[in-house]
Amino acid sequence: MNLASCPFCDGTVHLVFDRDFRRGVRYGIVHERPCPLLPTLWAAYGIESDTLARCWNQRYGVANRLRALGEDGLADMLAYEGVRC
């Protein structure tokens, strides 16, 4: 599954999971190298991996595209304030 890079550090991120036998599985997004602004993000139990990836890509993929177009102010606003998935 392809994930957009982190808009804060431009680092590579990966999908990970944590299994708890009572609560089930939860998915998270972790940086390949630690990011000073964005820690590992965990979804609530019951949220599927494709939902987490879609939300990540909608929020941070668009911010990365805006930054590439020179719209740093809009990219920062989207990345920091975000939108609801």
Side-chain angles (χ1 to χ4, degrees), residues 54-75:
R54 180 179 46 83
C55 288
W56 174 274
N57 285 335
Q58 282 178 347
R59 182 174 182 173
Y60 296 124
V62 172
N64 289 339
R65 181 69 180 134
L66 287 169
R67 196 172 309 288
L69 293 172
E71 296 291 342
D72 289 340
L74 286 174

Side-chain angles (χ1 to χ4, degrees), residues 12-80:
T12 303
V13 296
H14 302 285
L15 195 63
V16 294
F17 70 93
D18 178 37
R19 186 177 309 273
D20 182 301
F21 290 105
R22 288 186 315 208
R23 294 183 279 186
V25 177
R26 69 177 177 163
Y27 294 93
I29 295 179
V30 65
H31 284 75
E32 197 170 272
R33 292 188 199 130
C35 175
L37 293 175
L38 196 60
T40 299
L41 300 173
W42 290 101
Y45 287 98
I47 303 297
E48 296 296 324
S49 61
D50 59 335
T51 302
L52 179 60
R54 180 179 46 83
C55 288
W56 174 274
N57 285 335
Q58 282 178 347
R59 182 174 182 173
Y60 296 124
V62 172
N64 289 339
R65 181 69 180 134
L66 287 169
R67 196 172 309 288
L69 293 172
E71 296 291 342
D72 289 340
L74 286 174
D76 287 343
M77 185 174 16
L78 180 62
Y80 285 105

